Amino acid sequence: MKERIIVLSDCQSFYASVEKASQPAYLGRPLVVAGDPARRSGIVLAACPLAKARGVTTAEALGEALAKCPDLVVVRPRMQQYIDVSAQITAILRTFSDMVEPYSIDEQFVDITGSLALFGSAEEIAAAMQEQIRTETGVYARIGIGYSKVTAKMACDLWAKKSDNGLFTLSRDLLPSRLWPRPIGDLFMVGRRMAAHFDSMGILTIGQLAEMPLAELKWKMREKFRKRCDIDAELYWRIANGIDDSPVHTDTYDAPPKSVGHQMTLPRDYRSFAEIKVVLLELCELVCRRCRSLGMNGSVVSVGCQGASFEEPTGFSRQTTLPDPCNATNLVYEAAIRLFRLHWDDQPVRRVSVTLSGLSSEMEYQLTLFESRPKYRELERATDLLKSKYGDAIIGRASSFTDSGQLRDRAGKIGGHYK
Ligand SMILES: [Mg+2]
């Protein structure tokens, strides 16, 4: 099989960069995006590089940040804007290859194996992507180039983010000289706790893990954790050796799907229900729009989440059946938050998914009395049409209009975040 070429694009200080690009007056000034600028107790969600250079860090209290940097520009988050710019970047990347997989709000995998003949070398393509993202959105993307998703991800996190031009290629022949001497904690998927476990097993570098016979690693990990963890052992061993066959997932519109789902990796741990609701709404919107474009209704809503820790997995996956099959964002969203509220144990969340299954043709849907569903449908069709014609930014979310109970609040906010 032909060796693949995969890139991972990651935006620098994404939320803060979007804000700086939106206001020429912010240029050259330290800026943070913070929960509530009116309250010094608010939390810094994102800091631009200038603010970081002044000692400001993500997740600290705004009061502390202002003490270090009194001339700090503080803006409140506009989630809708970040979602829109993220979609814009995905669209830019799609002009280079149709195989683009959004990995988080500011990261995308792109398989460019088939693009080389058209656009030049991998490095030239990555530089062109970077340039186009910068001119069209004002955001600086760092791009890792690899021959699998894990090598692209590590090329980006370990080198591209620190290099002058924001690019790095981790080719197969560079693994022993560049990746393997690095501490085990630099390996993708290895957190601080797991790194400590590996250290205690005498595995200090990525190379020590990579060069260990897999059977020996399995045995060592079983001893250490007192349980079978062969799958985990193999996963780490494969990552250290750059082995990863997983494809860049792209939506295919050919056969009617059995389910439509979306998942999102968050830029950091989300701990409050208000924050998680933003993501749930966005996922429900993506899933329902897709169903509407397919002319399908779903009858089963599934919601799942995972924490960031691989060693101590947290999270759940649950489903519920809707009273009537539908593809209305607000109804699926209501079911999703009900499920989440019921099953979430307050653990920090890093990955969230929403799936609609039990799909059937829209033609079969029944009118239910006492519900103004046809109205929702008309409204959603109209907004879908506008969005597909003019882009997502053209109009607010359908559920902001339909959920009259929270209309006033929703007009300015999405799930607690400002638009
Ligand atoms: Mg980033």
Side-chain angles (χ1 to χ4, degrees):
M1 199 181 92
K2 192 174 162 197
E3 176 127 303
R4 294 181 300 161
I5 300 178
I6 291 169
V7 304
L8 177 84
S9 162
D10 178 308
C11 299
Q12 183 182 47
S13 311
F14 183 57
Y15 298 172
S17 299
V18 171
E19 294 302 340
K20 288 191 93 154
S22 72
Q23 264 304 338
Y26 294 157
L27 262 170
R29 302 176 62 187
L31 176 147
V32 293
V33 175
D36 186 350
R39 293 205 330 259
R40 290 171 66 87
S41 57
I43 296 291
V44 172
L45 294 171
C48 79
L50 284 176
K52 282 182 181 159
R54 302 273 295 274
V56 174
T57 56
T58 304
E60 77 179 335
L62 186 55
E64 287 170 44
L66 283 164
K68 292 178 205 165
C69 189
D71 55 330
L72 196 61
V73 177
V74 183
V75 296
R76 61 186 196 181
R78 296 182 298 153
M79 293 310 290
Q80 183 63 62
Q81 182 66 18
Y82 311 146
I83 290 164
D84 292 344
V85 174
S86 177
Q88 199 185 342
I89 292 171
T90 300
I92 291 170
L93 296 171
R94 286 220 170 92
T95 64
F96 292 90
S97 162
D98 55 355
M99 296 175 78
V100 180
E101 176 186 344
Y103 181 63
S104 71
I105 192 159
D106 74 329
E107 290 172 275
Q108 287 91 355
F109 282 110
V110 191
D111 186 327
I112 57 168
T113 315
S115 314
L116 296 185
L118 289 168
F119 299 109
S121 71
E123 287 75 14
E124 285 166 346
I125 291 173
M129 288 171 164
Q130 225 180 10
E131 177 60 25
Q132 207 172 327
I133 292 170
R134 191 183 334 231
T135 45
E136 289 183 28
T137 70
V139 173
Y140 177 41
R142 286 78 51 91
I143 300 183
I145 303 165
Y147 53 92
S148 58
K149 283 160 89 171
V150 297
T151 48
K153 174 78 177 148
M154 289 191 289
C156 185
D157 288 347
L158 301 177
W159 292 283
K161 284 182 181 178
K162 286 152 204 157
S163 77
D164 291 337
N165 63 0
L167 302 174
F168 188 83
T169 305
L170 183 58
S171 58
R172 198 178 289 277
D173 54 310
L174 283 183
L175 285 202
S177 63
R178 302 298 299 266
L179 183 66
W180 290 1
R182 299 189 68 113
I184 190 69
D186 282 354
L187 189 66
F188 177 53
M189 302 281 287
V190 173
R192 213 179 324 132
R193 286 176 52 98
M194 194 63 202
H197 286 313
F198 279 131
D199 281 353
S200 75
M201 288 183 256
I203 301 170
L204 306 177
T205 67
I206 296 175
Q208 282 174 321
L209 193 147
E211 292 188 294
M212 184 175 286
L214 178 55
E216 186 183 337
L217 180 66
K218 284 180 178 172
W219 180 83
K220 279 196 156 175
M221 281 180 66
R222 200 179 306 176
E223 285 286 290
K224 174 82 194 173
F225 297 107
R226 302 262 156 231
K227 60 176 183 187
R228 281 186 74 93
C229 38
D230 290 4
I231 294 172
D232 302 348
E234 183 159 350
L235 179 75
Y236 290 121
W237 186 84
R238 289 171 68 100
I239 295 172
N241 281 289
I243 305 167
D244 170 22
D245 307 323
S246 62
V248 171
H249 294 286
T250 46
D251 282 342
T252 46
Y253 288 83
D254 307 340
K258 292 200 170 55
S259 67
V260 171
H262 262 282
Q263 51 182 337
M264 224 178 250
T265 302
L266 307 172
R268 58 182 169 79
D269 287 340
Y270 278 24
R271 294 164 192 278
S272 75
F273 193 57
E275 286 183 307
I276 293 165
K277 276 164 74 179
V278 177
V279 186
L280 284 175
L281 176 59
E282 176 57 20
L283 289 167
C284 290
E285 170 80 341
L286 285 168
V287 165
C288 290
R289 258 168 84 184
R290 175 83 202 284
C291 285
R292 293 195 291 270
S293 74
L294 291 165
M296 307 289 266
N297 278 326
S299 58
V300 179
V301 178
S302 313
V303 169
C305 72
Q306 278 168 259
S309 166
F310 180 74
E311 307 94 80
E312 289 179 73
T314 57
F316 64 86
S317 174
R318 288 293 154 85
Q319 61 181 49
T320 186
T321 302
L322 295 167
D324 295 295
C326 79
N327 55 24
T329 302
N330 66 315
L331 297 180
V332 173
Y333 175 60
E334 274 165 26
I337 53 174
R338 221 179 307 122
L339 267 178
F340 209 98
R341 220 194 286 273
L342 205 57
H343 299 291
W344 184 44
D345 55 2
D346 290 332
Q347 294 285 330
V349 168
R350 196 51 91 75
R351 206 166 168 81
V352 187
S353 64
V354 171
T355 303
L356 196 55
S357 56
L359 299 185
S360 57
S361 162
E362 258 182 336
M363 298 308 182
E364 295 162 24
Y365 105 107
Q366 298 167 299
L367 273 174
T368 43
L369 291 172
F370 310 115
E371 242 194 36
S372 51
R373 183 105 56 92
K375 259 193 202 147
Y376 292 145
R377 291 161 51 78
E378 264 169 48
L379 191 63
E380 287 188 323
R381 289 231 177 282
T383 57
D384 284 353
L385 193 67
L386 281 169
K387 284 177 178 175
S388 64
K389 259 184 129 159
Y390 302 106
D392 284 359
I394 191 73
I395 195 163
R397 300 195 165 278
S399 55
S400 321
F401 302 105
T402 51
D403 197 349
S404 56
Q406 291 185 64
L407 190 62
R408 207 154 21 109
D409 191 41
R410 287 279 186 80
K413 288 178 176 179
I414 299 172
H417 281 58
Y418 295 95
K419 267 189 208 171

